[in-house]
Amino acid sequence: MLGRLALFAFSAVALSACDGGAVRPIRAVGSSTVFPFTTAVAEAFVNQDKRRAAPVIESIGSGAGFRAFCEGVGSQYPDIANASRRMKRTEYDQCQKNSVGEILEVQIGLDGVVLAESNNGPKLKLSRKDLYLALAANPMGKPNTAKTWHDVNPSLPAIPIYVMGPPSTSGTRDAFIELMMEPGCLAAWPEAKAKAKAIKDGHDPAKFQDACLRIRDDGPYVDKGENDNLIVQGLSQNPNAIGIFGYSYLEENIDRLHGTEIEGVGPTNNDIVTGKYPGGRPLYIYVKKRHIKAVRGMQDFLDLYATMWKPKGELNKRGLIAAPTDVQDQSAKIIAEGIALDPAQLH
């Protein structure tokens, strides 16, 4: 009953504010990777009708975005969470603890977790095992002492390991750990595969985290915050450095950067779609169903998003990789029919 009263009060206040001329803007928070795509939709949304309030889009990382999104329902809370990884069950449960209610999970397209160098760089060809041995805090359970790429693989040059990447709040970093570090750990530690799997499956998850997933903090990995453009700038200044970010940032700067091959495959649109590139991942927006009717323009904003993620659409021009047709159709159906996320699908 209290939840219904709160929803009614929020709806009434939001709609009366719109009717009175002081429009409450749509607000989206989260992933730096999804940020440019939601921003592009926001720009098109205002261009359709100049009387609309410009949506407020904030780049704070997927994890921080989910925390803000799940704080509650009402005009002071975000309507949309941009995410470069899927919502975790613990995050969904926090949303429900704060009476957020039903949530729409919408896959907007695909992306790749890209490693890139300056075009003046050494054009390294790396494996996930190389990345793990270079960047893990405790590879195979021992403190990391590697200083150069040659230290982790004799076939690589004796160039200092210097990787600029996102912070712990970033979905890009989460995806990098899942798609690159974890497989690299199991490749580097073959005699302990069964042991590592047992640890991961619950016998000692903290030990698995420390040995396989924790990134070193002694210098070779540099946290550059949520502004991926700072990484792009850093690569221009240091030709021996490597940067980690979403595919769209590589595509935007292809005149001065190139993708680093991982397992012999470079990050290209086609190889991400076909799954050949090991860093491919889906991108999402999460929407509070209660806010769709309460915030004027929300349904129009979401409908517009669904027209812009198509192949050769405006978001594709900005670096978003279009999802397969069946995924696009399902996402559009979720928006049109307000189909809520089933929490049983989350981990």
Side-chain angles (χ1 to χ4, degrees):
M1 183 64 178
L2 286 175
R4 290 187 187 136
L5 288 173
L7 172 59
F8 175 79
F10 167 51
S11 301
V13 169
L15 293 175
S16 65
C18 292
D19 293 340
V23 180
R24 185 274 203 195
I26 295 166
R27 184 180 169 213
V29 300
S31 165
S32 62
T33 302
V34 180
F35 171 81
F37 308 131
T38 303
T39 297
V41 177
E43 292 167 356
F45 178 73
V46 173
N47 287 336
Q48 280 185 339
D49 186 343
K50 300 296 186 182
R51 296 170 297 177
R52 289 170 169 167
V56 177
I57 319 297
E58 300 175 58
S59 174
I60 59 174
S62 297
F66 280 132
R67 283 194 293 276
F69 179 81
C70 289
E71 284 179 352
V73 63
S75 58
Q76 69 270 46
Y77 301 112
D79 311 299
I80 298 170
N82 295 325
S84 55
R85 62 164 173 81
R86 201 171 194 198
M87 177 180 272
K88 299 174 183 177
R89 181 58 190 259
T90 53
E91 292 165 333
Y92 181 89
D93 290 343
Q94 185 62 33
C95 271
Q96 301 318 307
K97 182 179 178 181
N98 292 329
S99 302
V100 167
E102 291 184 313
I103 297 168
L104 276 58
E105 178 186 70
V106 182
Q107 184 179 334
I108 65 166
L110 299 170
D111 181 42
V113 179
V114 168
L115 283 83
E117 305 172 41
S118 161
N119 283 338
N120 297 321
K123 294 182 171 56
L124 295 174
K125 296 181 188 234
L126 302 173
S127 66
R128 287 176 285 188
K129 176 181 175 181
D130 296 333
L131 290 170
Y132 167 71
L133 293 175
L135 299 178
N138 298 292
M140 295 177 284
K142 299 177 183 179
N144 201 331
T145 59
K147 302 295 184 185
T148 72
W149 289 105
H150 186 76
D151 292 337
V152 304
N153 183 339
S155 69
L156 296 173
I159 295 170
I161 300 165
Y162 191 80
V163 177
M164 296 177 285
S168 59
T169 54
S170 170
T172 298
R173 177 155 159 170
D174 290 338
F176 174 74
I177 289 171
E178 177 186 348
L179 299 171
M180 302 290 185
M181 295 287 286
E182 183 172 345
C185 174
L186 298 181
W189 207 1
E191 71 278 8
K193 272 189 179 181
K195 181 179 178 182
K197 185 178 186 304
I199 290 171
K200 182 187 177 187
D201 289 346
H203 294 286
D204 193 348
K207 186 174 181 180
F208 181 80
Q209 174 81 23
D210 190 64
C212 284
L213 310 183
R214 188 158 71 85
I215 291 179
R216 63 195 299 186
D217 57 8
D218 59 339
Y221 182 92
V222 180
D223 176 342
K224 298 296 284 187
E226 292 291 353
N227 186 349
D228 293 337
N229 287 312
L230 294 178
I231 300 176
V232 173
Q233 293 169 15
L235 293 176
S236 298
Q237 296 163 2
N238 183 350
N240 286 330
I242 290 178
I244 301 173
F245 39 61
Y247 174 77
S248 65
Y249 287 88
L250 172 62
E251 192 169 67
E252 286 176 7
N253 296 279
I254 203 67
D255 58 326
R256 51 179 171 161
L257 304 179
H258 63 266
T260 302
E261 286 189 13
I262 306 297
E263 314 289 0
V265 182
T268 66
N269 189 302
N270 184 64
D271 285 339
I272 291 170
V273 171
T274 60
K276 291 181 181 177
Y277 179 69
R281 57 171 175 174
L283 299 178
Y284 302 93
I285 58 172
Y286 290 82
V287 184
K288 290 173 183 167
K289 189 169 182 179
R290 289 182 173 183
H291 284 209
I292 294 175
K293 289 184 179 179
V295 179
R296 179 168 291 184
M298 273 286 290
Q299 188 65 54
D300 291 337
F301 182 85
L302 297 173
D303 290 342
L304 179 60
Y305 220 131
T307 69
M308 292 179 65
W309 66 44
K310 296 181 180 298
K312 299 182 181 179
E314 185 58 36
L315 299 185
N316 186 246
K317 295 174 185 175
R318 301 218 182 183
L320 181 71
I321 298 171
T325 302
D326 60 333
V327 175
Q328 293 180 49
D329 291 345
Q330 179 60 24
S331 292
K333 183 178 180 180
I334 289 169
I335 287 173
E337 299 180 13
I339 302 170
L341 168 66
D342 178 0
Q345 299 174 352
L346 302 177
H347 301 290

